[in-house]
Amino acid sequence: MQQLLIIGFVWPEPNSSAAGGRMLQLISLFKEQGYNITFASPAQDSDFMVDLEENGVDKKSIALNCSSFDVFIKELNPSIVLFDRFMMEEQFGWRVTENCPNALRLLDTEDLHCLRLARQKAFKENRLFQTADLMVEEVAKREVASILRCDLSLMISEFEIEVLVTKFKIDKALLYYLPFLLDSITVTTFDKTPVYEERKDFIFIGNFLHEPNWNAVQYLKETIWPLIRKQLPQAVLNIYGAYPSQKVLQLHQTKEGFLIKGRAAKAQEVVCKARVVLAPLRFGAGVKGKLIEAMQCGTPSVTTAIGAESMHGDLPWNGAITDIPQVFADEAVQLYNEKKLWIEAQYNGLTIINQLYLKALFVEDFKKQILFLEANLHQHRFINFIGAMLQHHTMNSTKYMSRWIEAKNK
């Protein structure tokens, strides 16, 4: 049986972030293809991490800048190594290459970090983001180098593939579109969720360690929510999210109907009870788990162009998309008040899930892609000269820096 090693930036927390849910989807995908899976990470255990062993996955703690990893990976001898975000490839990629040169190296980007950070920088400098900003973004140099060193990068956003190909001239053969992998939704699925009349309140949900979420909550508090309350004086907005800081908790205002609830024990449960999801994201990247979850729960959403980016193709959104605060508030109020519009939006979400995110649409092609790469790995790497060049220099720079740190620590 083939062995897959996943090197995780953190231990998966599917109830805390979309990244955790995405990782469990990938684990399920490889398990169904018959792989033995080991998940290794240098991160500390958390109270909310998933029980990997319950999911049939071996768990292994590893250390940064330590040759104990070399012993571990030689013994494991994986046929595939999947890096969870580019930072893990930076730390462990050269060790994988040195000890298991024939292992297929995959990178799960989660989202394009350099895109998110460049947009965040432009926002904070009060200027419009231009894709040219990426060329001077420090993280872009690291992230693109990591993509080039890997045999295949799993991309969750088609827009980000376009950015990599057009701006950074990445060969499409190194990129593979693999979005969230979901089960189908039918009309009867919504029979198990509260109907329009049984739902109440607005909701925002998102991990507060993620800067775009914290910014969106500030934007709601200062700009969007007062406009909604002007039209619906008794409206309530419930703010859920893992790891809220004291700054977040201080925004709680009962009189304004702006309620900070913290971590949701069962995220889908609270989303299913809400009538409308609000997600006024002003910067970010990737595909937004909170908006996918809203569709699965049959809860319409109002978001921004960045929020809905690369999420719905040419299909109508399950609610509204706008970057104008007053229009955002008006659309939210209209969705909240008009049952017919609300139901139409709910079924738009069903269509998006079923046409763009069904696991069955991607499984077979992904399996063929992995088999093809394994059978043609030498040729695949031969044509990726820049990747081979970067791999060479990494082996002769990062390697010795890591060795120096290890010796210093001793």
Side-chain angles (χ1 to χ4, degrees), residues 147-164:
I147 288 169
L148 286 165
R149 284 192 298 263
C150 288
D151 299 312
L152 193 70
S153 290
L154 309 182
M155 307 295 300
I156 205 165
S157 162
E158 290 177 302
F159 173 75
E160 291 175 8
I161 291 177
E162 181 186 339
V163 167
L164 289 171

Side-chain angles (χ1 to χ4, degrees), residues 11-212:
W11 302 107
E13 292 187 21
N15 292 325
S16 299
S17 70
R22 158 75 163 182
M23 181 50 68
L24 286 193
Q25 291 169 11
L26 293 177
I27 286 171
S28 173
L29 183 62
F30 279 102
K31 278 186 69 66
E32 289 168 9
Q33 294 181 17
Y35 284 84
N36 277 333
I37 303 176
T38 298
F39 193 104
S41 177
Q44 296 292 316
D45 286 6
S46 78
D47 294 336
F48 305 102
M49 59 190 280
V50 72
D51 189 330
L52 288 165
E53 292 175 356
E54 249 185 32
N55 286 269
V57 176
D58 294 328
K59 177 179 178 288
K60 173 71 175 178
S61 290
I62 52 177
L64 298 172
N65 302 307
C66 182
S67 55
S68 60
F69 179 85
D70 303 339
V71 177
F72 158 68
I73 197 170
K74 276 181 183 175
E75 290 178 355
L76 188 68
N77 193 28
S79 50
I80 299 179
V81 176
L82 172 63
F83 301 103
D84 169 30
R85 285 165 268 204
F86 78 91
M87 298 82 83
M88 291 298 95
E89 190 279 334
E90 280 186 328
Q91 285 287 342
F92 295 99
W94 69 268
R95 292 184 184 273
V96 171
T97 300
E98 189 172 76
N99 293 288
C100 296
N102 296 321
L104 183 66
R105 299 188 296 268
L106 305 181
L107 172 64
D108 185 38
T109 57
E110 296 290 353
D111 64 15
L112 205 55
H113 291 61
C114 62
L115 176 62
R116 170 163 45 85
L117 293 172
R119 281 174 167 167
Q120 181 175 329
K121 187 176 181 181
F123 172 80
K124 291 189 173 181
E125 293 175 357
N126 197 29
R127 59 179 175 80
L128 287 176
F129 165 77
Q130 306 287 337
T131 53
D133 293 340
L134 291 167
M135 310 309 287
V136 295
E137 175 57 50
E138 188 66 28
V139 169
K141 299 176 179 68
R142 296 169 54 199
E143 190 166 22
V144 170
S146 183
I147 288 169
L148 286 165
R149 284 192 298 263
C150 288
D151 299 312
L152 193 70
S153 290
L154 309 182
M155 307 295 300
I156 205 165
S157 162
E158 290 177 302
F159 173 75
E160 291 175 8
I161 291 177
E162 181 186 339
V163 167
L164 289 171
V165 171
T166 57
K167 286 295 174 185
F168 295 105
K169 311 304 179 187
I170 303 286
D171 188 337
K172 278 190 175 180
L174 299 176
L175 308 172
Y176 188 84
Y177 177 60
L178 193 69
F180 288 127
L181 305 170
L182 308 176
D183 295 327
S184 64
I185 299 177
T186 64
V187 176
T188 56
T189 304
F190 293 151
D191 292 342
K192 300 171 187 175
T193 64
V195 296
Y196 172 83
E197 291 83 2
E198 295 171 337
R199 295 179 182 234
K200 66 174 185 175
D201 302 338
F202 296 88
I203 189 173
F204 173 90
I205 190 164
N207 187 322
F208 286 110
L209 296 179
H210 194 54
E211 183 67 21

Side-chain angles (χ1 to χ4, degrees), residues 262-328:
R263 179 185 291 272
K266 295 181 179 178
Q268 286 211 346
E269 192 173 288
V270 297
V271 176
C272 281
K273 289 178 180 177
R275 192 175 286 182
V276 177
V277 167
L278 304 179
L281 300 162
R282 292 187 285 184
F283 53 84
V287 172
K288 316 307 181 293
K290 62 177 65 61
L291 297 175
I292 288 287
E293 189 169 58
M295 295 179 205
Q296 291 175 305
C297 293
T299 310
S301 64
V302 184
T303 190
T304 56
I306 281 180
E309 181 180 88
S310 203
M311 285 195 65
H312 61 113
D314 296 324
L315 299 172
W317 187 249
N318 72 316
I321 302 168
T322 178
D323 293 322
I324 303 170
Q326 186 62 61
V327 176
F328 193 106

Side-chain angles (χ1 to χ4, degrees), residues 303-366:
T303 190
T304 56
I306 281 180
E309 181 180 88
S310 203
M311 285 195 65
H312 61 113
D314 296 324
L315 299 172
W317 187 249
N318 72 316
I321 302 168
T322 178
D323 293 322
I324 303 170
Q326 186 62 61
V327 176
F328 193 106
D330 293 344
E331 295 282 6
V333 169
Q334 192 176 14
L335 268 175
Y336 196 89
N337 284 337
E338 296 182 23
K339 179 179 178 179
K340 184 179 178 182
L341 183 67
W342 187 90
I343 292 173
E344 182 181 316
Q346 183 182 65
Y347 282 92
N348 285 346
L350 178 150
T351 304
I352 291 169
I353 294 290
N354 288 341
Q355 291 195 22
L356 302 181
Y357 294 96
L358 284 197
K359 184 177 178 180
L361 297 173
F362 301 95
V363 171
E364 284 306 313
D365 187 74
F366 180 66

Side-chain angles (χ1 to χ4, degrees), residues 380-398:
H380 181 74
R381 288 177 177 172
F382 179 77
I383 61 175
N384 180 19
F385 176 77
I386 295 176
M389 179 179 66
L390 289 168
Q391 192 71 255
H392 170 79
H393 286 288
T394 299
M395 290 284 285
N396 289 284
S397 56
T398 308

